[in-house]
Amino acid sequence: MRLQTLLNTPSMRQMRVIAGERGLDREINNIGMIESPDIADYLKAHQFLITNGYPFINTTTDPTALITAMQEANCAGLGVKDQRYLDHMPKAVLELANELNFPIIVTPADELISETMRKMLTIILKSQTDELSRIVQVNQTLADFLLKDPSHATVLNKCSELINHPLFLMDSHFRVVSASQNLPMTRDSLTDYLRNQTKIDYFNLHTRLNLTTHGEALTIIPLFSAYKENKAFVGVLNLDAGNSTDQMLTQVVINTLSFVNSRVDMLNESAFRNQSGFYLNVMDGGISNELVNKTLKARQIEPSTKFHCAAILVTNNHQTLLSNHLLEQVQQLTLWFIKEYQTPVIAFSLKQQLVLLINDKQNAQHFLKALVDFIQPKLDKQARLIAGYSYSTLPLTELATIYNEAAEALALSQNSPHAVTIYRPKYVKELISLIPENEAKSFVERVLGGLVGGVSANEQLNLLNTLYGYFYYHQNIAEVAGHLSIHRNTVIYRLKKIEKMLTLNLDDPEQTQTLEMAVLLWHNQLKQK
């Protein structure tokens, strides 16, 4: 309780304050007596000392030194019995007490010090009992209240009513999401102040913080959360740091709101799993396009919207399977990043991957690089975050296509110095290079083997180069002749000879396709040599 409150009780009205009156708001919770000259070694915070004045007149205790020591120990004040051994307190002592706002109080002359102490302790104990009863009552009231599953605003109003302070609730991005009715400023203005003007690193804020805005003292307190990346904060206006009742009631409110926040965490995690299940079914083709579009509209997503697909993976050279903690950390960090910058990105999990659907209006490369730069420093040193994303942008009914591109790009990222890789569409030459060498060699020999017999190696090479040029220049004889620096009739002669040796007709599309593939494989083998 406050020293002023104690002095205002009827049994204490005979006491007189002779110095340090501005310090009467000090907290008092125990009483002591000066019985030895080394009392300064045993001082306690919020303690009120009483003396009969004898230690001061026999010089065993210096009153100025004692008051200085009591001030440093955050004691409540000093009581001196009236007209016992000390007729008046020295002027220097009174001036020091006034300077320090340290209360000096004269206790009644006609009352034993023990009786004065008994009265004061009785008042203090009653106050503490009343405080404890109130705290227990508030705790029970809030516990019963939570069983009704109220909204955030309703909880805040009830908490504010019980502790007599305006309250507001912030998410992990320092946005005020709810407030009690008696909050004297708007949620938007408070959000703007906290996010844009204070420069607080709210992502790494884990301890209580005191601020002042528009004449109001704000105390920001982190709430307990199942995931530290998804913590929330409660703000209390004009909280009295020196009032133990205020502090204990506030702790009850913090416990209550932490419970509410943890319940929100569980609901969000459940919603994320449901969302993941939906998109996995879309990817597997287990849902009709009509139902997909209907569900997207219900989630306020235009079905025609096109997306890049990105796959994110954490790799670790020492572990095949990563810990659930690490995967959850990446998931929570990613979701925090998306919400912080309010980007049009949808996230869901697939085994040990996190899949992101990035609106085609968003720069996918820029977003993924910023995401990796944000998450990577927060991971274990052995872990590496990589991402691959699709080249195509398609509606979500084509999710399987863009995911396959993302997965292939992700595989390339594992062997790349770059953390983010875009899927690169395969061209004909690249596709050809993917054919196993033994199968390619067998196919070439079967289709082009007829050019070997009866001609020299040099003529065989001339025929194959002419045939390659014929397909490369889209069967334009003049272009082939110009490229090979021969007459066009020579080109025609060679082509007829090839038809005869291979017993085929270059005007037959099916035979031409087979021949072109064999020539491309031959040319690829030649380049490799």
Side-chain angles (χ1 to χ4, degrees), residues 39 48 50 76 99 107 181 184 213 227 322 344 356 389 405 435 440 442 450 454 469 493 500 504 511 513 516-517:
I39 187 64
F48 187 87
I50 296 180
E99 179 185 340
T107 67
Q181 293 175 340
T213 177
Y227 304 102
L322 300 175
L356 304 180
Y389 68 102
E405 289 187 5
I435 299 175
S442 174
Y493 168 76
K500 183 177 181 181
L504 54 78
Q511 293 183 2
Q513 287 177 357
E516 182 175 7
M517 177 59 72

Side-chain angles (χ1 to χ4, degrees), residues 242-430:
N243 187 318
S244 59
T245 303
D246 250 16
Q247 295 298 322
M248 287 188 284
L249 287 174
T250 300
Q251 187 59 53
V252 172
V253 168
I254 291 170
N255 294 341
T256 300
L257 294 176
S258 292
F259 173 79
V260 173
N261 189 54
S262 297
R263 186 166 59 187
V264 170
D265 276 348
M266 290 187 289
L267 292 173
N268 288 339
E269 182 63 22
S270 177
F272 182 80
R273 288 197 297 268
N274 290 337
Q275 177 167 282
S276 297
F278 169 73
Y279 287 110
L280 290 177
N281 279 329
V282 173
M283 190 184 302
D284 293 339
I287 303 178
S288 67
N289 288 352
E290 181 180 358
L291 183 56
V292 170
N293 292 338
K294 183 178 180 180
T295 306
L296 292 176
K297 286 181 179 179
R299 297 184 178 186
Q300 298 182 329
I301 301 172
E302 174 55 45
S304 62
T305 304
K306 294 182 178 180
F307 294 87
H308 283 286
C309 182
I312 295 177
L313 181 69
V314 186
T315 62
N316 191 319
N317 294 331
H318 304 290
Q319 298 180 16
T320 305
L321 293 177
L322 300 175
S323 68
N324 288 332
H325 169 74
L326 182 58
L327 297 173
E328 286 178 354
Q329 183 185 11
V330 171
Q331 175 184 312
Q332 294 302 323
L333 286 170
T334 301
L335 294 176
W336 187 93
F337 186 85
I338 292 170
K339 292 178 182 177
E340 172 69 7
Y341 298 103
Q342 298 182 325
T343 52
V345 175
I346 300 168
F348 67 93
S349 61
L350 173 60
K351 297 180 181 178
Q352 291 199 318
Q353 294 179 12
L354 191 64
V355 182
L356 304 180
L357 303 172
I358 306 171
N359 191 299
D360 66 347
K361 295 179 181 178
Q362 173 82 16
N363 186 318
Q365 173 77 18
H366 173 79
F367 170 79
L368 290 170
K369 176 134 187 352
L371 177 64
V372 171
D373 290 344
F374 169 72
I375 295 178
Q376 185 62 63
K378 298 171 178 58
L379 302 181
D380 183 89
K381 291 182 179 180
Q382 301 297 326
R384 178 176 179 245
L385 189 70
I386 57 174
Y389 68 102
S390 66
Y391 176 85
S392 307
T393 57
L394 297 171
L396 292 182
T397 50
E398 303 295 328
L399 179 56
T401 299
I402 53 177
Y403 171 75
N404 288 336
E405 289 187 5
E408 190 167 329
L410 182 67
L412 294 175
S413 285
Q414 296 190 51
N415 299 315
S416 169
H418 304 292
V420 180
T421 303
I422 184 173
Y423 171 79
R424 190 162 58 94
K426 294 291 186 293
Y427 296 99
V428 174
K429 290 182 180 179
E430 291 178 292

